[in-house]
Amino acid sequence: DLNLAFCKEGFFLKVPKNTIVDKPIHIFYLSDNQETNTFYNIRNLLIAEEGAQIEIIESHHNFDDTFVLTNSVTEIFAHPNSKADWHKLQNDSDTSYLIDHTFAKQERDSLATVNTFSFGGKLVRNNLDFIHNGENINSFMNGITVISKDQLVDHHTAVHHKTPNCESYQNYKGIYKDNSHGVFNGKVFVDKIAQKTNAYQ
């Protein structure tokens, strides 16, 4: 709600039906020349139409000495038989705070992946929600965290298996040095109708 109220910047891409984008698209969010503490609310929207394939890289960089809080929301819509990969690179400064919400809604025969690489930032919170809306869906959530000092990286995931014959995979690993902390909280919800579900965590 806070993002929706204050959002002024973001990224939007609609990949047409059966279009295959050969090279990844890299999105940079940069904070520079800010004299005071800054609050960013950014919103990303990706629509992969039927049969489309796309790969996105998203990275955040704070070049200021001031504090930066980024409240980011990403929405991914994977239509039937599409493939959408989203890679999040979090390698920010010690004066940066990032709260990231990612929602992926998938239709039949689609594949969606969110890979999260957390190497920097004072505090990072990642919330992921995957919603299945058709059969033969595959969802992948992977995370690597390597932090030190007094950094905190927090992963919260949820997969909503609403239809039969779907699979989800969650694989998160971390290396924590000094007084750093890591959290992983993963949930899988399987509806009664969602028979023959495979959910790995």
Side-chain angles (χ1 to χ4, degrees):
D1 291 341
L2 192 63
N3 177 279
L4 189 62
F6 291 98
C7 176
K8 293 182 179 179
E9 301 169 336
F11 169 82
F12 167 69
L13 178 64
K14 183 178 182 180
V15 186
K17 183 177 179 180
N18 295 323
T19 299
I20 298 176
V21 182
D22 294 330
K23 296 181 180 180
I25 296 174
H26 197 161
I27 311 164
F28 290 94
Y29 285 110
L30 308 176
S31 181
D32 197 10
N33 298 322
Q34 302 296 320
E35 297 180 356
T36 59
N37 299 335
T38 310
F39 181 32
Y40 294 108
N41 291 273
I42 59 174
R43 200 172 193 95
N44 303 309
L45 175 58
L46 172 64
I47 300 174
E49 293 192 336
E50 184 175 356
Q53 295 184 23
I54 183 66
E55 185 176 6
I56 304 290
I57 303 170
E58 175 192 3
S59 58
H60 296 259
H61 303 277
N62 177 21
F63 297 108
D64 297 312
D65 295 327
T66 56
F67 288 98
V68 168
L69 171 59
T70 301
N71 179 27
S72 175
V73 172
T74 299
E75 295 175 286
I76 302 169
F77 292 91
H79 287 233
N81 200 35
S82 64
K83 183 176 183 289
D85 296 332
W86 197 290
H87 313 291
K88 295 178 178 289
L89 177 59
Q90 300 167 341
N91 190 19
D92 225 329
S93 67
D94 291 341
T95 58
S96 299
Y97 296 77
L98 173 63
I99 302 172
D100 188 280
H101 300 263
T102 300
F103 304 92
K105 186 174 183 180
Q106 296 181 246
E107 306 294 334
R108 61 171 179 81
D109 302 312
S110 65
L111 188 154
T113 302
V114 174
N115 295 318
T116 306
F117 305 91
S118 303
F119 305 131
K122 179 74 171 179
L123 182 149
V124 177
R125 168 70 178 258
N126 294 299
N127 300 303
L128 280 78
D129 274 279
F130 275 67
I131 300 170
H132 290 179
N133 196 37
E135 294 194 33
N136 302 314
I137 288 172
N138 284 276
S139 301
F140 295 88
M141 285 151 281
N142 303 300
I144 295 177
T145 302
V146 182
I147 54 176
S148 60
K149 303 175 185 176
D150 57 352
Q151 294 174 298
L152 170 63
V153 173
D154 195 352
H155 296 284
H156 288 249
T157 67
V159 184
H160 304 268
H161 285 268
K162 295 180 175 292
T163 49
N165 303 307
C166 295
E167 297 187 0
S168 64
Y169 302 83
Q170 301 184 56
N171 189 13
Y172 285 79
K173 301 192 177 204
I175 299 174
Y176 307 95
K177 187 180 178 183
D178 303 324
N179 294 318
S180 61
H181 290 83
V183 176
F184 174 78
N185 184 350
K187 292 184 176 67
V188 176
F189 301 95
V190 182
D191 286 4
K192 288 183 178 180
I193 195 176
Q195 299 299 309
K196 297 184 179 180
T197 287
N198 282 326
Y200 301 91
Q201 193 178 85

